[in-house]
Amino acid sequence: MFAADMESTREVAGVPSTVLIPMRFVWPYGGRSVFLSGSFTRWSELVPMTPVEGCPTVFQAIYSVMPGFHQYKFFVDGEWKHDEHQPFVTGEYGIVNTVLLATANFLPGNVSPGISSGSNMDVDNEAFRRLVRIADGTLTDVVPRLSEADIQGSRHRISAFLSSHTVYELLPESGKVVALDVDLPVKQAFHILHEQGIPLAPLWDFCKGQFVGVLSVLDFILILRELGNHGSNLTEEELETHTISAWKEGKAYLNGQIGGHGRALSRHLIHAGPHDNLKDVALKILQHEVATVPIIYSTSEDGSFPQLLHLASLSGILKCIWRYFRNCSSLLPILQLPICEIPVGTWVPKIGESNRQPLAMLRPSASLSSALNLLVQAQVSSIPIVDDNDSLLDIYCRSDITALAKDRVYTHINLNEMTIHQALQLGQDSYSPYEMRSQRCQMCLRSDSLQKVMERLANPGVRRLVIVEAGSKRVEGIVSVSDIFKFLLS
């Protein structure tokens, strides 16, 4: 379309040509194949754009550009297009979008640097953290300066909303809930978890006539570690007939949960009723550090004949918050704060911050055994998998372990010899390439607002976002749904 020697970039006077700023360009109108080209590529290169995780009609590309004035267009399904909702001009190359990027040293009046707040681009650079609105030649600081009263007011409104709404609002119009009998063999139970694509299931004791616990992938991890222990009393043959109840009792012995008569102490099942308010359920999940709470209903006063209605999670409660406040976000000023400005998530420690908890990360060549040990010891549900430059490649979650239940893979592998990369390959046949990208490895930027992060976490199946540096995808932190609730309800 354009000659390679045509250059429309007008650099800001005095800015060194070696300064490059990672920019995120977005085409939000769908297509089968979308590319980006502009003055920053001398109109000679088509930069591939990829769908945003969870939004198949939104394409993005991160490209480092020099400060200055730039023009760009999108090549969508073989046609050149521009975004009519962004600044554009008509010039020698037809109608093109434009952006002016300036640094703090060269903005008039030493105003904080930035880009058009309405632009489909994001800057994620420490020198460009504070964004400004560029419109009609004026610059306005758009990073809110919230008082403590604004922050507490936002928290109070969320707390009041959760207190006035009940678990009934979490119940879907239709769906299924899987429960397992405690007399079911452990091997068969984990095969069911894998086949159903669920990370856990409540346990039903027929003799007691009640739900008595939960079987989760953490149990499978502990069993695999036990099998890998040469001093283990649990053999692969015993696992074929070992019941869930037998494993739970053995687990209690391993954890030292033994009563005065040498019997394993039974843990009280953490559950809730449909009339409980959402705040109490959220606090119950946080306080007991569980992933979900079974919603159990009984028509009798003594609690007999209980019915399992749903599994309540923080993700479901966050969806309720988002549905209510998304059209009136002005009631929650706290949503406008960038996540790097608030105490939320786990971040890679900076130089000199030795007291901060390190972020668990592993290389794809690390052993599966090291990953399982880290999941248990660090008490985390996922681990970013990175290359030698700490750039994000994938993520390994607790739920990935159920892939080993398929075709009894766990019986003929060595946890110390199998790599994380090989383990992830085992589960790939259970997901399409898009599902792998959209559900497994969701990302955000440190400059993203709390509102944007909550919106992404409210999507089905999304439980955490990996915070990456724009362009390099170097991991900077991770923020989960539970991190959001700890901040909002603190």
Side-chain angles (χ1 to χ4, degrees):
M1 175 181 176
F2 306 110
D5 59 347
M6 293 182 179
E7 176 62 63
S8 64
T9 302
R10 299 197 301 270
E11 293 184 16
V12 176
V15 178
S17 60
T18 56
V19 176
L20 293 176
I21 309 301
M23 301 283 292
R24 183 166 63 178
F25 297 81
V26 177
W27 174 259
Y29 309 112
R32 293 185 300 274
S33 63
V34 183
F35 297 86
L36 167 74
S37 189
S39 57
F40 39 82
T41 68
R42 301 186 65 83
W43 301 106
S44 61
E45 177 186 356
L46 290 177
V47 180
M49 303 185 73
T50 56
V52 173
E53 299 85 348
C55 303
T57 61
V58 180
F59 289 76
Q60 70 172 355
I62 296 175
Y63 198 90
S64 296
V65 302
M66 293 184 295
F69 177 82
H70 299 278
Q71 298 180 358
Y72 60 96
K73 296 189 78 167
F74 302 94
F75 193 60
V76 183
D77 296 337
E79 296 183 13
W80 287 101
K81 297 184 179 182
H82 70 283
D83 188 345
E84 297 180 354
H85 295 87
Q86 304 305 324
F88 61 87
V89 297
T90 301
E92 56 183 316
Y93 308 127
I95 301 177
V96 295
N97 291 114
T98 64
V99 63
L100 173 63
L101 179 63
T103 64
N105 296 332
F106 303 99
L107 284 172
N110 289 326
V111 183
S112 298
I115 60 174
S116 169
S117 64
S119 173
N120 279 329
M121 287 178 267
D122 291 322
V123 178
D124 189 46
N125 185 285
E126 195 67 27
F128 287 81
R129 276 173 48 191
R130 297 183 62 80
L131 304 181
V132 300
R133 183 183 302 277
I134 303 180
D136 300 326
T138 61
L139 301 177
T140 306
D141 193 352
V142 297
V143 176
R145 301 178 182 275
L146 298 186
S147 64
E148 185 64 25
D150 289 330
I151 296 176
Q152 294 304 325
S154 297
R155 285 172 167 164
H156 174 74
R157 290 186 181 94
I158 291 177
S159 178
F161 167 79
L162 295 176
S163 298
S164 60
H165 291 73
T166 66
V167 173
Y168 261 120
E169 299 188 35
L170 299 180
L171 303 184
E173 294 183 359
S174 62
K176 65 178 180 180
V177 181
V178 177
L180 303 174
D181 193 292
V182 292
D183 292 327
L184 197 68
V186 171
K187 181 209 71 169
Q188 187 176 349
F190 287 118
H191 181 76
I192 293 174
L193 293 184
H194 172 71
E195 289 296 317
Q196 297 296 323
I198 54 178
L200 54 83
L203 300 176
W204 172 258
D205 191 320
F206 181 79
C207 295
K208 296 180 180 179
Q210 62 185 17
F211 293 96
V212 295
V214 172
L215 185 76
S216 70
V217 292
L218 180 59
D219 289 296
F220 195 18
I221 292 175
L222 294 175
I223 286 177
L224 290 179
R225 294 177 67 200
E226 182 73 6
L227 287 174
N229 180 8
H230 296 295
S232 172
N233 294 320
L234 183 63
T235 65
E236 296 174 7
E237 291 75 13
E238 289 174 329
L239 187 61
E240 297 292 319
T241 57
H242 210 61
T243 64
I244 298 175
S245 59
W247 157 248
K248 286 294 186 179
E249 185 169 349
K251 178 183 174 182
Y253 277 99
L254 289 175
N255 294 337
Q257 299 169 340
I258 311 300
H261 299 286
R263 299 187 61 182
L265 297 175
S266 59
R267 294 183 60 183
H268 178 67
L269 174 64
I270 309 301
H271 68 281
H275 300 292
D276 293 353
N277 68 64
L278 295 179
K279 181 179 180 180
D280 288 343
V281 175
L283 291 175
K284 187 174 293 187
I285 292 175
L286 293 175
Q287 291 167 359
H288 293 278
E289 297 181 341
V290 294
T292 62
V293 170
I295 305 304
I296 300 175
Y297 175 70
S298 176
T299 55
S300 60
E301 294 183 359
D302 61 357
S304 57
F305 304 105
Q307 302 177 48
L308 179 63
L309 302 181
H310 187 58
L311 297 177
S313 66
L314 293 179
S315 297
I317 299 175
L318 184 64
K319 291 184 183 71
C320 289
I321 296 176
W322 183 248
R323 281 198 302 265
Y324 184 81
F325 287 104
R326 63 182 174 184
N327 295 322
C328 52
S329 57
S330 59
L331 296 176
L332 303 176
I334 199 173
L335 295 182
Q336 305 309 315
L337 288 174
I339 57 172
C340 62
E341 300 290 345
I342 55 180
V344 62
T346 302
W347 296 74
V348 174
K350 296 181 179 178
I351 297 176
E353 293 182 333
S354 58
N355 59 333
R356 176 179 283 188
Q357 179 182 358
L359 177 66
M361 294 187 291
L362 288 174
R363 305 284 188 264
S365 57
S367 68
L368 180 57
S369 175
S370 63
L372 300 186
N373 291 337
L374 196 54
L375 286 171
V376 175
Q377 295 168 3
Q379 296 181 337
V380 294
S381 61
S382 59
I383 304 172
I385 308 303
V386 298
D387 61 16
D388 292 337
N389 297 317
D390 288 343
S391 295
L392 184 65
L393 298 174
D394 207 326
I395 192 165
Y396 193 81
C397 309
R398 282 184 182 178
S399 55
D400 290 324
I401 199 67
T402 60
L404 300 181
K406 184 178 181 180
D407 300 326
R408 300 174 62 227
V409 172
Y410 61 85
T411 61
H412 51 81
I413 64 169
N414 187 311
L415 298 181
N416 293 317
E417 295 179 357
M418 172 172 278
T419 66
I420 296 176
H421 174 72
Q422 293 170 332
L424 288 171
Q425 290 291 111
L426 289 175
Q428 282 191 355
D429 58 351
S430 301
Y431 306 92
S432 68
Y434 175 71
E435 288 174 328
M436 290 286 287
R437 180 173 64 250
S438 64
Q439 300 300 332
R440 291 183 47 79
C441 215
Q442 292 260 359
M443 295 173 285
C444 69
L445 304 177
R446 63 183 296 120
S447 57
D448 285 343
S449 65
L450 179 60
Q451 177 175 346
K452 187 174 183 179
V453 168
M454 288 177 61
E455 180 181 7
R456 297 280 296 281
L457 288 172
N459 289 325
V462 181
R463 297 181 179 86
R464 87 279 300 166
L465 300 177
V466 182
I467 307 167
V468 299
E469 181 183 66
S472 68
K473 289 176 61 177
R474 183 177 61 84
V475 174
E476 296 188 315
I478 191 167
V479 56
S480 66
V481 178
S482 60
D483 292 328
I484 299 297
F485 276 89
K486 289 175 184 177
F487 173 69
L488 294 178
L489 298 180
S490 62

